[in-house]
Amino acid sequence: MANKEERICIIGGGPAGLSAAMYLEKKGYKNYQIYEKQNKVGGKCFSPKIKVSHNGKEEEKTFETGAIMGAITYHAVSEMEEFGGYYHKGPDFKEGEPNMRREFRKLDGTVYEPFNPKADFSFKKLFSLMKLKKQMKKLNQLMQTKYVGYDCYGHIGVAKGEYYGISKGVEGHCGATKENSFPNYIKGTNPNLKDLALPFKKFCELNGVEEVQRIWIAPFTSFGYGYFDEIPAALVMKYLDVTTALEFVNMRLWTWQDGTQAIYTHVNEKLAHPANLNTEVVKVERPEGAKIKVTIKQNGKESVEEFDKLIVTTPLDYFKNYADATKEEKELFSKIIHERYIDYIGTFEAGKSPNISGYMVDNMVPERLGHAMVYYNRWQYLDRDCPATVYALANHTGSKDKDYDEVQKTMDEDMAKLGFPIKEKLYPQEVYYCPHVSSEDYQDGWYDKLDALQGTKNTYYAGEIISFGDMEDTCAASKDIVGRFFGD
């Protein structure tokens, strides 16, 4: 019989921590505390307000520095919306709402349409798009047949040719039925799933669908999730499953009027125990047969709290820095890799900002490491007076990392070449992004080893590393952890 009075410590007030608390509440657990060292909730979902001027008027609007969008496959986020009473806009956007229009630009600023056969028509382009369409159809068939079971959250069993997890399917989309759609657990054996441990580039080559990388690259690499020659295919295909990818292609996307951060501020306000802000966990002790002791630092003062269970939603590769990590934990967590994603909100001279979001696909390759890959224009009605968030990657396996200041300078130069000279940079930052493991460690069963540790020393691991580093997979990972390890 589950003891719903046991005291639970949740480290981190981002999407993972807040969703863990929400799912615990839904199961009747109310004796928990969330500790967040920052002065805000939402983690990388940070949506600051900036004053903008347009047509002689000044107003304050929200902008994004992290997560931007969602889609019909954002099931767990929908549950967060319902709990907090705050909902997305789109995909049919009304005037005055943020939207997801976008264009493609060459490095010299030229606008082009890579997927429109009528734009800059040539037989070479036409045949290329016909080939792409054929391979997209082939990939869709492969994922429903050869790789059945791929479209569930998390990575349990994949390295062994098995699958187990909450389905990401949407009934009626891409072959999904009521039985294998969210929130049902799906389970089975499929040896072909081992292919997902390969880097995505090799996975595509193996299956003769190399062209599909042209579609997947914009919503993946530009969003800070790494390059296709290094990232395991499982991360790519579980994030951009065929349904989600098609939503991106057809621009059937969601945004939030007050920013993605508002999802989590609303959830936090509805929780029985909102997050303790400006509270850093500086020490965790987990003695055998005794309560877990958590030392917190708040307003410069330290105090010790006792708990029955611990849920860690912050980066696991940092866990050893403040906790009594075991040998197994240290060894496993040391293999975690993360992306160095750099961004800032740029303002421009009056009338000189981009009036639509833009992809620079030519910069989304390792050879152009450190260059601006995408810029996000959030408010269409502000036209050429809208600030834009600019993003770049600073690391790649086998390459020397780019210096932060160097990348910032390169991003400025890239925007100037496009005709959008930066006037001021607001909230410049380097972000710990998309924690994952190498293809080799994935193949070696890293995720199964992590799952085997769940519950050891009354400790549970949630957060981005469990499934994928977007807010949907992160929240769904918390749903899974609470669902499997905390009784009804």
Side-chain angles (χ1 to χ4, degrees), residues 5 7 11 28 34 56 89 98 127 129 141 148 164 224 238 244 246 265 309 348 363 383 399 452:
E5 296 303 314
R7 197 162 187 237
I11 303 178
I34 308 169
K89 304 292 184 178
F127 292 145
L129 289 176
Q141 292 173 336
V148 65
Y164 176 83
K238 283 176 175 288
T244 305
L246 289 174
T265 55
K309 291 184 177 179
F348 308 82
N363 279 342
D383 196 37
S399 303

Side-chain angles (χ1 to χ4, degrees), residues 65-66 68 220-227 338-345 358-360 363-366 368-376 388-396 402-415 425 428-433:
T65 66
I68 294 172
F220 192 87
T221 298
S222 73
F223 289 179
Y225 298 127
Y227 299 98
H338 71 269
E339 301 301 315
R340 292 179 53 219
Y341 201 35
I342 292 175
D343 67 74
Y344 60 75
I345 300 174
Y359 289 126
M360 290 166 278
N363 279 342
M364 299 179 198
V365 292
R368 299 286 292 176
L369 183 66
H371 283 269
M373 300 184 296
V374 61
Y375 50 89
Y376 173 45
T389 313
V390 187
Y391 304 86
L393 273 168
N395 66 316
H396 168 251
K402 293 292 184 179
D403 176 73
Y404 173 81
D405 292 330
E406 176 189 355
V407 174
Q408 290 275 346
K409 182 174 180 291
T410 301
M411 293 165 72
D412 295 351
E413 293 171 349
D414 289 337
M415 294 302 290
K425 289 187 288 190
Q429 62 177 350
E430 178 182 313
V431 186
Y432 175 104
Y433 215 73

Side-chain angles (χ1 to χ4, degrees), residues 191-218:
N192 293 320
L193 292 175
K194 295 178 183 179
D195 294 346
L196 293 172
L198 294 170
F200 185 58
K201 181 179 179 181
K202 289 186 178 181
F203 175 84
C204 291
E205 292 170 351
L206 174 70
N207 288 291
V209 292
E210 298 93 330
E211 293 296 313
V212 303
Q213 295 174 80
R214 294 166 52 191
I215 289 178
W216 261 253
I217 194 170

